[in-house]
Amino acid sequence: MKLSIFSLLSTFFLFFLSTSLSERCNLNDKKALLEIKNALGNPHDLITWDSRTDCCDDWAQSTISCDDNTNRVTSLTLIRIVNAGHLSPAVGDLPYLQHLDISKIRNLSGSIPLTIAKLTNLTYLRVTETNISGPIPEFLGELKNITYINLSDNNLAGTIPPSMSQLSNLLYLRLDRNKLTGPIPESFGKLLAPKLEFLYLGQNKLSGIVPRSFSGWNFETLDLSGNKLEGDISFLFGRNSTTFQLYLSRNKFEFDFSKIEFGEKLVSLKLNHNNIYGGFPAGFEKRPWQEFNVSYNNLCGKIPQGGYMIRFDIYSYVHNKCLCDYPLPPCKSS
């Protein structure tokens, strides 16, 4: 009987040992992930995150990815978690992390943890549609390998840190739909211009002028809409520009629209609710516009007819000083 019990215990110990030795998940990574789960309030959405199982193989692969060679966690995705708490500083204890995606968790509170600065391998950072607050951290400028940052639709406040202009590999930056104030850093145009293609700063409370260093910067998309920016931004246009989309509405911009030249790739232009004046540039109707709005400005003269202009109704032109012709009333003969 004693031998049977001994054999049973030995078998259990060997099974436990073999299971532990065969586990791919790095123990330090697992510890950090379990601390993250605990800070989130141990949500049911992360029920597969169990200390007794292998995080690389047994946890939901929609949330965790491990490198096949190092077995270290390289990707963490947290989406639509119900009744979440806050993001634990333990996220910085995942040194091999390259992809961090936290989105659509409306009740996630607190600030962006300082420890994210330790994630030197990070190339993708998305924290969007949450209740995260506080400032945009200066330490983001230390993430030298990052190419994608999306911090849109949160409760971030304060100014845009100039340190972000040090991210020389950045291709995509979204800071829109927050509560940011102050000017756009002049250093953005000087240092980010070579690579940054998508810049979204819309729906904040930014003020001042757009840095002149943006001149000649060829974006795919530039969104400055819904701020308190002012001044002449005609330098954002130009015959040699390769920008596709310009969203500049609901600011205090002021310039002569009739003198603007457009790059051949520009297909979306929203300038509504500004102080632009003049008339339409020659040949405007020949361009393949997909989006266009100049309502609520001080424009005058005849609306171009024909071509792609047939796509746009009265709401693209209303509340100007003296625009006329279809879809507005006809121009007076005088």
Side-chain angles (χ1 to χ4, degrees), residues 125-137:
L125 173 63
R126 183 168 73 161
V127 181
T128 182
E129 297 185 57
T130 75
N131 198 33
I132 289 283
S133 58
I136 296 175

Side-chain angles (χ1 to χ4, degrees), residues 19-74:
T19 301
S20 300
L21 292 174
S22 64
E23 183 173 341
R24 289 179 58 205
C25 185
N26 179 274
L27 294 180
N28 291 328
D29 288 355
K30 177 183 277 190
K31 178 183 177 183
L33 291 168
L34 291 172
E35 288 182 18
I36 291 170
K37 177 185 178 182
N38 183 61
L40 291 172
N42 294 308
H44 181 78
D45 307 76
L46 301 181
I47 194 171
T48 61
W49 289 26
D50 190 321
S51 61
R52 297 166 296 181
T53 57
D54 188 339
C55 74
C56 289
D57 290 330
D58 301 324
W59 295 12
Q61 297 306 298
S62 59
T63 60
I64 299 294
S65 295
C66 297
D67 183 86
D68 290 335
N69 296 317
T70 65
N71 294 327
R72 302 302 296 265
V73 173
T74 57

Side-chain angles (χ1 to χ4, degrees), residues 66-255:
C66 297
D67 183 86
D68 290 335
N69 296 317
T70 65
N71 294 327
R72 302 302 296 265
V73 173
T74 57
S75 177
L76 172 60
T77 301
L78 302 170
I79 298 178
R80 293 190 178 90
I81 291 176
V82 178
N83 298 324
H86 66 277
L87 183 60
S88 170
V91 69
D93 296 329
L94 298 169
Y96 287 75
L97 202 63
Q98 300 173 18
H99 183 112
L100 177 59
D101 188 354
I102 301 168
S103 57
K104 299 181 180 179
I105 309 177
R106 282 297 182 184
N107 53 352
L108 182 67
S109 59
S111 58
I112 298 174
L114 175 63
T115 52
I116 287 181
K118 299 192 301 183
L119 303 177
T120 56
N121 291 306
L122 204 64
T123 61
Y124 181 104
L125 173 63
R126 183 168 73 161
V127 181
T128 182
E129 297 185 57
T130 75
N131 198 33
I132 289 283
S133 58
I136 296 175
E138 285 276 357
F139 66 72
L140 291 182
E142 301 174 24
L143 303 177
K144 303 302 183 183
N145 291 314
I146 203 152
T147 60
Y148 181 105
I149 295 178
N150 184 349
L151 302 179
S152 65
D153 205 354
N154 295 297
N155 282 313
L156 297 172
T159 59
I160 300 173
S163 62
M164 296 195 76
S165 62
Q166 301 171 18
L167 302 174
S168 57
N169 290 311
L170 197 61
L171 301 173
Y172 187 105
L173 177 60
R174 288 194 67 164
L175 304 177
D176 53 302
R177 300 182 184 280
N178 281 288
K179 300 176 181 178
L180 302 178
T181 56
I184 301 172
E186 178 72 30
S187 56
F188 262 38
K190 294 178 179 177
L191 300 177
L192 290 181
K195 287 192 175 181
L196 190 67
E197 296 179 358
F198 299 87
L199 178 60
Y200 297 83
L201 302 178
Q203 312 305 315
N204 280 291
K205 300 177 182 179
L206 300 174
S207 58
I209 62 172
V210 177
R212 193 76 189 188
S213 55
F214 277 36
S215 178
W217 191 346
N218 292 314
F219 298 92
E220 291 279 338
T221 300
L222 173 62
D223 178 9
L224 303 178
S225 62
N227 284 290
K228 300 177 181 179
L229 299 166
E230 57 188 352
D232 182 352
I233 53 166
S234 56
F235 59 84
L236 294 177
F237 300 88
R239 185 178 299 176
N240 296 322
S241 172
T242 58
T243 299
F244 281 85
Q245 298 173 312
L246 279 173
Y247 301 121
L248 307 170
S249 60
R250 298 183 182 276
N251 282 286
K252 301 176 183 179
F253 295 133
E254 186 172 353
F255 59 93

